[in-house]
Amino acid sequence: MSLSGKNVLLTGASMGIGEAIAFALVEARANVILFSRSENKLAQLKEKLSATSDVKITYGTVDVGDYASVEAAVSSAIEEMGDIDVLINNAGLALGAPSPFPELKVSDILTMNNTNINGYMFTAHAVLNHSMLRRKAGTILNITSVTSLEVPPFPGEAVYHANKACQEAFTNALRNELSGTDIRVLALRPGCVATNFHSLRVGHDKEMYNSFFEGYEPLVAPDIAQAAVYMLQQPPNLSVKALDIVPSAQRSLNVFDRSWNERRKDQ
């Protein structure tokens, strides 16, 4: 399916994977609606995107954990751009690692639950009811994680792991509930990606951040963006229901080949 001329709503758009997906969408000639909490970053991103293409670009300053804010922004975007063809649920965060669950701040627990669970559900609810269900057509792509399927081998991930497992369950159940429509519901599961996201999850502790990627080459945000566009560009009768994209050295969530870089130095 060509993305040219399609209206794509992207949450968590202002940096990292979201920003990379925005550039990939614009390159594919899609019109983009960018949601994030930072108006300044959104304005800067729109300016950079507009310098590369003449597609339609708009943005909304939105806290995805606030349904009233989400619904108002979705309605405004539809009024400006027309119906939404694709929703990419990307907004998310992890906080508090490596503190185990009993030591986490309750405020961090609430923030993760609200963003990672409510945010996905609220945005999907608004887009379905204001656009996709009326036409019985569209695609919802939820950016989840390989941690949705396996328990992480290090502390500090209890809430984030539970959030991602919930996203996986929501994706699968929603796909079933939308039977009888042409709305596809897909999951993209990244592995280890070198972004601000991983820095934030360890409180921007540089030593912890570097040790996480020791001995192998992690993915970068454009890798995830390419995978997202690949999934969206499949013909309407074909669904890549779920796609795991991980560094080759990430053999599983518990096994990392940290001799990867050493073996490849002369290749």
Side-chain angles (χ1 to χ4, degrees):
M1 180 184 79
S2 173
L3 291 175
S4 180
K6 301 293 185 182
N7 292 333
V8 182
L9 169 57
L10 170 65
T11 70
S14 64
M15 61 192 303
I17 290 173
E19 181 178 10
I21 292 175
F23 273 99
L25 291 170
V26 166
E27 185 177 355
R29 301 291 302 162
N31 303 315
V32 292
I33 304 157
L34 310 170
F35 281 7
S36 175
R37 288 179 297 178
S38 172
E39 182 171 6
N40 183 53
K41 290 179 181 177
L42 285 172
Q44 292 175 1
L45 178 57
K46 179 181 178 180
E47 185 176 346
K48 288 189 289 185
L49 292 171
S50 297
T52 68
S53 177
D54 60 353
V55 300
K56 298 176 183 178
I57 302 168
T58 191
Y59 65 83
T61 306
V62 182
D63 176 0
V64 294
D66 177 351
Y67 185 74
S69 174
V70 170
E71 186 174 40
V74 167
S75 296
S76 176
I78 292 171
E79 185 175 346
E80 178 180 353
M81 303 279 279
D83 279 313
I84 295 169
D85 300 295
V86 177
L87 165 63
I88 303 178
N89 263 325
N90 171 69
L93 78 169
L95 302 171
S99 298
F101 177 75
E103 297 176 14
L104 290 178
K105 298 177 182 177
V106 172
S107 59
D108 285 348
I109 295 171
L110 291 171
T111 298
M112 284 188 278
N113 286 340
N114 204 35
T115 302
N116 297 335
I117 297 176
N118 290 344
Y120 275 51
M121 294 185 180
F122 288 170
T123 309
H125 191 276
V127 169
L128 284 167
N129 282 296
H130 286 276
S131 184
M132 289 185 181
L133 282 177
R134 174 166 33 83
R135 296 172 297 123
K136 295 187 176 181
T139 300
I140 297 173
L141 174 58
N142 290 329
I143 311 294
T144 66
S145 170
V146 292
T147 64
S148 65
L149 306 179
E150 299 180 73
V151 177
F154 37 79
E157 297 288 296
V159 177
Y160 181 70
H161 169 59
N163 291 166
K164 290 299 170 179
C166 180
Q167 289 176 0
E168 194 77 19
F170 173 61
T171 301
N172 291 333
L174 183 61
R175 185 186 301 117
N176 282 354
E177 291 188 1
L178 292 174
S179 180
T181 75
D182 295 333
I183 302 171
R184 300 183 296 183
V185 185
L186 317 174
L188 175 56
R189 306 183 190 120
C192 294
V193 189
T195 63
N196 181 74
F197 176 91
H198 277 291
S199 182
L200 176 64
R201 80 195 307 171
V202 296
H204 301 294
D205 184 309
K206 188 174 181 180
E207 184 176 345
M208 289 181 62
Y209 177 85
N210 290 338
S211 67
F212 194 74
F213 302 122
E214 184 178 357
Y216 70 96
E217 183 179 354
L219 301 176
V220 292
D223 296 327
I224 310 305
Q226 291 175 23
V229 169
Y230 167 78
M231 295 176 76
L232 296 173
Q233 286 181 329
Q234 299 309 304
N237 66 309
L238 190 159
S239 287
V240 181
K241 286 172 54 178
L243 178 63
D244 291 2
I245 175 167
V246 303
S248 294
Q250 187 178 356
R251 302 300 183 170
S252 71
L253 207 58
N254 294 287
V255 177
F256 291 81
D257 182 354
R258 297 192 183 275
S259 63
W260 177 266
N261 288 347
E262 184 66 26
R263 289 199 315 276
R264 298 184 61 81
K265 280 198 300 188
D266 298 325
Q267 296 184 22

